[in-house]
Amino acid sequence: MCGIVGYVGNENASGPVLNGLATLEYRGYDSAGLATIEPGLDHLGIYKAAGKLVNLRQVVDDAQPQGTTAIGHTRWATHGDPTTVNAHPHTTADQRLAVVHNGIIENHLEVAAMLREEHGITPVSDTDTEIIAHLIGTLYTGDLKEAVRQATQVLTGQYAIGVIHRDHPDTIVAAVNGAPMVIGTTDDVAVLCSDVAGLLPYTRHITAVPDGHMAMLTPGHMEIFDQDGAPATGHTYEVDWTAEEAEKGGYPSFMAKEIAEQPRAVRDTMTGRWDGTQVHIDEVSFDLSRLKTFDKIIIVACGTSHHAGLVARRAFEHWTRLSTEVEIASEFRYRDPIVNKATLVVAISQSGETADTIAAMQYAQDQGATTLGVTNMVGSTLARGADSVIITRAGREVAVASTKAFTTQIVALMVAALWIGQARGNLYVEEIQAVFDDLQSLPDAMETVLAQDAYIGSLATALVNRLTSQHGYVMFFGRLNGLPIALEGALKLKEISYLHAEGFASGEMKHGPIALIEPGVTVIAIATEGAVKTKVMSNIEQVKGRGAHVIAIVTEGDDDVRALADDVIVVPAAMELASPILAVIPVQMLALHVANALDRDVDQPRNLAKTVTVE
Ligand code: M6R
């Protein structure tokens, strides 16, 4: 998360840097900041504001900086609250050196201890980034590039950093390890950015800084160096995107981009949640002993977030041993539910602004319940109102059809279930470690599903060709873990393709829905490994016997379902509670391909809005 921009050139740098930051707001927007090298000042100009970029624009408008070299940052808080003091850039105490940073410094506590003991430095913020500034400051003896290089030998973790120093008015030094940074130049300008979108006003000729390398930017020039400081080359390429396409990262739609981002989003959502002994969530405003007093959990949410709750119910019951109900938020408060101070209500909302979910949470609080919010939006109404919060780090989700929010919500909910289970004394450290070990393997497994895009596209084309005016619908079914994925698959498909699609518990088929089956109807069966796979296989046989065309989602190595279904989409094996995180990707991709084949506006489907702020 977080976005960084740097500009060194011949015009006032604050405008170009603010514009670059605007293209990066999807990476986080809980605070922003800018550092400039101001003519006539013996320290840097530092401008920061909590909240969105518009607040920083106001600060900069008021201050009117003049410098032609600047670095800027838009933040998604990982270390420390989203306050002005924690906003980047971070500086040395004399404010002559400033750093912007995207990533996480894993050894920041050790480095901070060394800086305190050996140099008497006490940080003013709660961030890992400020440590970088102080470290470079202690290593600086007149050669900024060398000081940054030496600092990179000390730091561990993932980072892309941009550094400026008052004594080097036309220079930005950058370093990269496991986080993106691209650079572009014109005759008299050099610009760096976390993604290509920020470079497009200048050039379409892009240089990516390789991992473990550094860069030095001066007006119209850039040089790349390896970790020994020797000259090296970056990865260069041309892009021909429009600005809008650049925001889409070259994908044809935001939905396609957001589906593809899921491995990264899931990885980010897990980062820092487990330190080997303790599960961590973002914010808790009550005494943790309260976690032992609950006798029931109720999950409230709408749409896709509700489906994430359905997936997570098993994890909550398994790890907390508390009875867990999942409610549609818009139904919840009207039926006089039994909620009291022994109830934990978990409210899930990507936007954190869905009116029904907020109202359900507030209703529960009025009854004395404790609330846990799960949201993608720091600072949203849900995040501010809940008694504790866990933030999904999906990054900005633009497409109306929710995809990466869903998979990150499941991960966040599993973390929450482990957190409560640990506090209640239900789980040994080894058990939690084993779950986190399993979760760590998910991003790579997700990549193997995403790699089947062309094949899933061909299944979608065939599905569209099977539709007739008599049966222009698609049925999804599954059981247990598979049921929420069947519901989610149907929601995705109807929402963006406008086809009628329904998800069913497959055991319920013979209680009514099987009457809809006739030759040629497509049934998508969620038939991954687990306690009920053989039951789902019987249900597949029943619809096959009546002429359905079955596309089954199966686990790698499965031959049983493969023998029954017409087509299969294979997902890697995973722990059963987390397997929906993999099984949902094919139904997202299938829905996207069907909608594209039908020429729908997948990002902005008719009649819908991304955030539903009315009842
Ligand atoms: O922002 P929220 O997670 O509260 O939104 C809930 C639903 O409106 C949302 O998931 C909706 O169902 C999606 N468009 C589904 O793709």
PDB file of all heavy atoms in Angstrom, residues 441-442 445 529 555-556 571-575 579 582:
ATOM      1  N   SER A 441       0.297 -19.642   1.876  1.00  0.00           N
ATOM      2  CA  SER A 441       0.441 -20.289   0.562  1.00  0.00           C
ATOM      3  C   SER A 441      -0.656 -19.857  -0.408  1.00  0.00           C
ATOM      4  O   SER A 441      -0.594 -20.164  -1.606  1.00  0.00           O
ATOM      5  CB  SER A 441       0.422 -21.811   0.726  1.00  0.00           C
ATOM      6  OG  SER A 441      -0.859 -22.203   1.165  1.00  0.00           O
ATOM      7  N   LEU A 442      -1.660 -19.126   0.094  1.00  0.00           N
ATOM      8  CA  LEU A 442      -2.800 -18.789  -0.778  1.00  0.00           C
ATOM      9  C   LEU A 442      -2.431 -17.910  -1.974  1.00  0.00           C
ATOM     10  O   LEU A 442      -2.897 -18.175  -3.092  1.00  0.00           O
ATOM     11  CB  LEU A 442      -3.899 -18.100   0.035  1.00  0.00           C
ATOM     12  CG  LEU A 442      -4.743 -19.025   0.915  1.00  0.00           C
ATOM     13  CD1 LEU A 442      -5.687 -18.188   1.775  1.00  0.00           C
ATOM     14  CD2 LEU A 442      -5.543 -20.005   0.069  1.00  0.00           C
ATOM     15  N   ALA A 445      -1.170 -19.899  -4.785  1.00  0.00           N
ATOM     16  CA  ALA A 445      -2.237 -20.769  -5.300  1.00  0.00           C
ATOM     17  C   ALA A 445      -3.234 -19.957  -6.134  1.00  0.00           C
ATOM     18  O   ALA A 445      -3.719 -20.413  -7.182  1.00  0.00           O
ATOM     19  CB  ALA A 445      -2.948 -21.456  -4.133  1.00  0.00           C
ATOM     20  N   GLU A 529     -12.603 -30.390  -2.701  1.00  0.00           N
ATOM     21  CA  GLU A 529     -12.429 -31.392  -1.634  1.00  0.00           C
ATOM     22  C   GLU A 529     -13.028 -30.902  -0.323  1.00  0.00           C
ATOM     23  O   GLU A 529     -12.975 -29.715  -0.021  1.00  0.00           O
ATOM     24  CB  GLU A 529     -10.943 -31.664  -1.388  1.00  0.00           C
ATOM     25  CG  GLU A 529     -10.252 -32.533  -2.410  1.00  0.00           C
ATOM     26  CD  GLU A 529     -10.916 -33.874  -2.663  1.00  0.00           C
ATOM     27  OE1 GLU A 529     -11.540 -34.440  -1.735  1.00  0.00           O
ATOM     28  OE2 GLU A 529     -10.836 -34.353  -3.808  1.00  0.00           O
ATOM     29  N   THR A 555     -10.831 -29.665  -6.949  1.00  0.00           N
ATOM     30  CA  THR A 555      -9.490 -29.525  -6.376  1.00  0.00           C
ATOM     31  C   THR A 555      -8.492 -30.305  -7.222  1.00  0.00           C
ATOM     32  O   THR A 555      -8.815 -31.387  -7.738  1.00  0.00           O
ATOM     33  CB  THR A 555      -9.485 -30.065  -4.936  1.00  0.00           C
ATOM     34  OG1 THR A 555     -10.507 -29.382  -4.199  1.00  0.00           O
ATOM     35  CG2 THR A 555      -8.136 -29.835  -4.260  1.00  0.00           C
ATOM     36  N   GLU A 556      -7.293 -29.732  -7.344  1.00  0.00           N
ATOM     37  CA  GLU A 556      -6.202 -30.371  -8.076  1.00  0.00           C
ATOM     38  C   GLU A 556      -6.075 -31.844  -7.637  1.00  0.00           C
ATOM     39  O   GLU A 556      -6.107 -32.141  -6.436  1.00  0.00           O
ATOM     40  CB  GLU A 556      -4.915 -29.638  -7.711  1.00  0.00           C
ATOM     41  CG  GLU A 556      -3.790 -29.863  -8.632  1.00  0.00           C
ATOM     42  CD  GLU A 556      -2.672 -28.857  -8.343  1.00  0.00           C
ATOM     43  OE1 GLU A 556      -2.699 -28.162  -7.303  1.00  0.00           O
ATOM     44  OE2 GLU A 556      -1.789 -28.772  -9.192  1.00  0.00           O
ATOM     45  N   VAL A 571      -8.687 -25.927  -9.045  1.00  0.00           N
ATOM     46  CA  VAL A 571      -8.035 -24.995  -8.110  1.00  0.00           C
ATOM     47  C   VAL A 571      -7.104 -25.804  -7.210  1.00  0.00           C
ATOM     48  O   VAL A 571      -7.370 -26.980  -6.946  1.00  0.00           O
ATOM     49  CB  VAL A 571      -9.062 -24.202  -7.255  1.00  0.00           C
ATOM     50  CG1 VAL A 571      -9.977 -23.374  -8.126  1.00  0.00           C
ATOM     51  CG2 VAL A 571      -9.873 -25.118  -6.350  1.00  0.00           C
ATOM     52  N   PRO A 572      -6.014 -25.206  -6.732  1.00  0.00           N
ATOM     53  CA  PRO A 572      -5.096 -25.948  -5.864  1.00  0.00           C
ATOM     54  C   PRO A 572      -5.766 -26.348  -4.544  1.00  0.00           C
ATOM     55  O   PRO A 572      -6.740 -25.725  -4.117  1.00  0.00           O
ATOM     56  CB  PRO A 572      -3.962 -24.950  -5.601  1.00  0.00           C
ATOM     57  CG  PRO A 572      -4.046 -23.961  -6.704  1.00  0.00           C
ATOM     58  CD  PRO A 572      -5.497 -23.857  -7.053  1.00  0.00           C
ATOM     59  N   ALA A 573      -5.203 -27.371  -3.909  1.00  0.00           N
ATOM     60  CA  ALA A 573      -5.694 -27.785  -2.592  1.00  0.00           C
ATOM     61  C   ALA A 573      -5.373 -26.705  -1.566  1.00  0.00           C
ATOM     62  O   ALA A 573      -4.378 -25.997  -1.691  1.00  0.00           O
ATOM     63  CB  ALA A 573      -5.034 -29.101  -2.193  1.00  0.00           C
ATOM     64  N   ALA A 574      -6.243 -26.569  -0.569  1.00  0.00           N
ATOM     65  CA  ALA A 574      -6.017 -25.591   0.505  1.00  0.00           C
ATOM     66  C   ALA A 574      -6.706 -26.107   1.750  1.00  0.00           C
ATOM     67  O   ALA A 574      -7.536 -27.016   1.671  1.00  0.00           O
ATOM     68  CB  ALA A 574      -6.603 -24.233   0.128  1.00  0.00           C
ATOM     69  N   MET A 575      -6.388 -25.531   2.913  1.00  0.00           N
ATOM     70  CA  MET A 575      -7.119 -25.938   4.121  1.00  0.00           C
ATOM     71  C   MET A 575      -8.604 -25.677   3.877  1.00  0.00           C
ATOM     72  O   MET A 575      -8.980 -24.686   3.245  1.00  0.00           O
ATOM     73  CB  MET A 575      -6.620 -25.180   5.356  1.00  0.00           C
ATOM     74  CG  MET A 575      -6.930 -23.699   5.352  1.00  0.00           C
ATOM     75  SD  MET A 575      -6.297 -22.854   6.817  1.00  0.00           S
ATOM     76  CE  MET A 575      -7.437 -23.461   8.032  1.00  0.00           C
ATOM     77  N   SER A 579     -10.574 -22.742   1.598  1.00  0.00           N
ATOM     78  CA  SER A 579     -10.678 -23.135   0.187  1.00  0.00           C
ATOM     79  C   SER A 579     -11.619 -22.239  -0.630  1.00  0.00           C
ATOM     80  O   SER A 579     -11.404 -22.062  -1.833  1.00  0.00           O
ATOM     81  CB  SER A 579     -11.087 -24.609   0.066  1.00  0.00           C
ATOM     82  OG  SER A 579     -12.379 -24.779   0.588  1.00  0.00           O
ATOM     83  N   LEU A 582     -10.020 -19.693  -2.948  1.00  0.00           N
ATOM     84  CA  LEU A 582      -9.580 -20.143  -4.278  1.00  0.00           C
ATOM     85  C   LEU A 582     -10.776 -20.437  -5.181  1.00  0.00           C
ATOM     86  O   LEU A 582     -10.775 -20.095  -6.359  1.00  0.00           O
ATOM     87  CB  LEU A 582      -8.704 -21.390  -4.147  1.00  0.00           C
ATOM     88  CG  LEU A 582      -7.415 -21.202  -3.339  1.00  0.00           C
ATOM     89  CD1 LEU A 582      -6.663 -22.520  -3.219  1.00  0.00           C
ATOM     90  CD2 LEU A 582      -6.525 -20.152  -3.993  1.00  0.00           C
TER      91      LEU A 582
END
